[in-house]
Amino acid sequence: MTLARELSLGCIADDYTGASDLANTLTRAGLRTVQTIGVPASDLTLPEVDAVVVSLKSRSIEAGLAVTRSRAAETWLRGRGAAHVLFKICSTFDSTDAGNIGPVMDALRADSGDSVVLVTPAFPETGRTVYQGNLFVGAVPLNESPLKDHPLNPMRDSNLVRVLARQSRTKVGLVDLATLARGADAVRAKLADLAAKGIGAAIIDAVFDRDLETIGQVALDHRLSVGASGIGLGLARGLIASGRVKPAAANATPEMAVGGPAACLAGSCSQATLQQIAGAEKRMPVLHLDPERIVTTKDEAQRALSWAKGRLGEGPILIASSATPEHVAALQSRHGRDAVGHAIEQAMADLAEGLVGAGVRRLVIAGGETSGAVVDRLRIPGFLVGAEIAAGVPVLRAVGAASGEMLLALKSGNFGGPEFFSDALALMR
């Protein structure tokens, strides 16, 4: 990939929907942003940009492999001039005691040479705040919210200092809200004190949008930060405020119509996605896959594809493998968590490949793991970021796709309103 100038900001996202969320946030803040799928090939040409978000599918894989892939992405970004790299994680801090946030953070911090790194998943705009090191979803701690029931990385502890300490080799400290409220210099002094005590990572509170600006300002003193899209917003505003980046108008992907059939695939089991599927049933044909048959047979995806082909000429369709957390837990107990997850992801990827083969060029995908499997199967190397469908979810125009012009929306399970699928399709012309 050839860039006309050095990057102002490099980002490594641990899943594809989170990468889209971050790319959307940076674009809205005024940074010219491209999202790539994996570390870009050397011959992929992209337009002049301020930031590149390298999307990895590394959140739930073996920790050593996640570290290797993340370090490769960092090497590529540093080679393109990125003085600061953000390791973008989920706003629910999805990670088991074995990782992968801690191990990747440790490796990137060692490579960067930073003595201490700021860490926060806070993004008040989306209801994620951190107070006294505890992550809140709206008004309740994470471990009391519906988001605690992630099928791969359930979160049972809202105290991020404890969570990160269990998976990192470094000591973990806290920069509390009282310190943050005193401004950037107070935060810098606190970080210096923590570093002097051998603490290599600091969870930092953030309750208000203005907190992100202070965090971004301080983070830019360092070569690495870790967090969700909220810290990305703070970094973008800090780059613009310092004059290092001249703000662009909110990026609107060129309005070249793609047209043709449209389809939606839902693999997330979040309450938000289940409600969105129910809303879609009032507007388009919806097929619910049998998760048991997906795991135990090979014909469920083919059955769904045959169903879809008979309806694509009449308007958008939706195919869902989503189920309630209780149903998913029962399925996992019978067949194993990894086997269930892999089978569903591959079935949805099979469907996406078949739908594109049938002429679909507009795809809406719900679920982080589902989005990763689909984009990998379609071999799309990158995206231009377009109009915002919902907070954290932009329209993406494929760059370098073998199938030609395509529009996609990649939605984390918990994102979007009740009519998300219809809202997405309305912007994907």
Side-chain angles (χ1 to χ4, degrees):
M1 185 183 84
T2 302
L3 291 173
R5 60 182 176 184
E6 291 189 341
L7 291 176
S8 297
L9 179 64
C11 306
I12 305 165
D14 66 0
D15 82 341
Y16 294 176
T17 55
S20 294
D21 174 15
L22 176 59
N24 178 67
T25 298
L26 298 177
T27 299
R28 286 194 300 129
L31 271 59
R32 302 161 187 85
T33 306
V34 164
Q35 175 184 348
T36 72
I37 304 302
V39 180
S42 59
D43 60 352
L44 179 62
T45 300
L46 295 177
E48 185 176 273
V49 293
D50 302 305
V52 169
V53 181
V54 177
S55 316
L56 302 179
K57 194 166 180 282
S58 59
R59 180 174 302 167
S60 303
I61 63 176
E62 189 273 325
L65 185 56
V67 167
T68 298
R69 292 179 179 176
S70 300
R71 293 183 72 191
E74 184 199 31
T75 298
W76 187 92
L77 291 165
R78 300 288 190 198
R80 271 67 185 174
H84 187 89
V85 169
L86 166 64
F87 172 39
K88 196 278 177 191
I89 60 173
C90 182
S91 63
T92 52
F93 218 79
D94 291 356
S95 197
T96 69
D97 287 353
N100 290 343
I101 295 175
V104 172
M105 179 194 73
D106 289 344
L108 296 182
R109 185 174 74 93
D111 290 344
S112 73
D114 282 343
S115 58
V116 64
V117 57
L118 280 172
V119 182
T120 185
F123 200 174
E125 178 183 331
T126 61
R128 310 293 192 272
T129 57
V130 178
Y131 179 67
Q132 294 297 328
N134 292 278
L135 176 56
F136 285 78
V137 177
V140 300
L142 172 65
N143 62 304
E144 297 177 18
S145 78
L147 304 190
K148 70 181 184 298
D149 294 318
H150 189 282
L152 296 178
N153 303 317
M155 296 298 294
R156 301 293 187 253
D157 189 352
S158 66
N159 187 294
L160 302 184
V161 176
R162 287 196 301 256
V163 171
L164 188 57
R166 288 196 293 265
Q167 53 185 277
S168 171
R169 295 191 305 271
T170 190
K171 295 179 181 179
V172 180
L174 173 67
V175 179
D176 63 14
L177 189 64
T179 301
L180 182 64
R182 293 198 295 273
D185 287 341
V187 175
R188 291 185 179 105
K190 179 65 174 180
L191 288 177
D193 179 61
L194 292 175
K197 296 175 179 176
I199 292 172
I203 301 293
I204 185 165
D205 286 350
V207 174
F208 306 105
D209 283 341
R210 64 177 180 270
D211 296 336
L212 300 176
E213 298 184 11
T214 303
I215 292 170
Q217 181 182 350
V218 175
L220 287 170
D221 296 341
H222 303 259
R223 288 172 53 80
L224 177 71
S225 58
V226 178
S229 293
I231 197 170
L233 178 61
L235 290 166
R237 290 179 176 174
L239 286 167
I240 291 170
S242 68
R244 282 176 271 185
V245 171
K246 182 178 179 180
N251 186 10
T253 300
E255 295 296 331
M256 296 179 293
V258 170
C264 308
L265 297 175
S268 169
C269 299
S270 72
Q271 289 189 5
T273 298
L274 294 176
Q275 292 171 359
Q276 290 157 359
I277 293 169
E281 288 178 325
K282 304 171 186 176
R283 300 179 179 272
M284 67 187 78
V286 175
L287 176 66
H288 292 269
L289 300 178
D290 183 339
E292 183 75 34
R293 288 182 59 83
I294 291 175
V295 177
T296 59
T297 73
K298 298 293 185 181
D299 60 358
E300 186 70 353
Q302 283 303 313
R303 178 182 75 87
L305 188 58
S306 297
W307 174 89
K309 287 180 177 179
R311 292 165 174 79
L312 287 174
E314 302 170 7
I317 57 97
L318 188 152
I319 301 172
S321 65
S322 305
T324 64
E326 294 77 17
H327 191 171
V328 172
L331 194 65
Q332 291 174 337
S333 69
R334 291 194 296 273
H335 302 287
R337 175 178 292 180
D338 291 343
V340 170
H342 179 75
I344 292 175
E345 289 169 28
Q346 292 310 302
M348 300 305 270
D350 290 344
L351 275 169
E353 186 175 38
L355 289 167
V356 170
V360 169
R361 293 295 180 271
R362 294 177 291 151
L363 271 175
V364 183
I365 314 295
E369 301 299 324
T370 302
S371 293
V374 166
V375 173
D376 284 348
R377 181 67 63 85
L378 297 180
R379 297 185 179 181
I380 300 172
F383 296 104
L384 292 173
V385 181
E388 186 177 51
I389 302 164
V393 190
V395 175
L396 300 172
R397 185 176 293 269
V399 172
S403 55
E405 289 287 335
M406 286 190 67
L407 296 178
L408 289 88
L410 308 177
K411 181 189 87 75
S412 178
N414 297 304
F415 281 26
E419 302 299 324
F420 173 80
F421 291 108
S422 297
D423 293 343
L425 292 169
L427 290 176
M428 299 167 68
R429 299 294 186 183

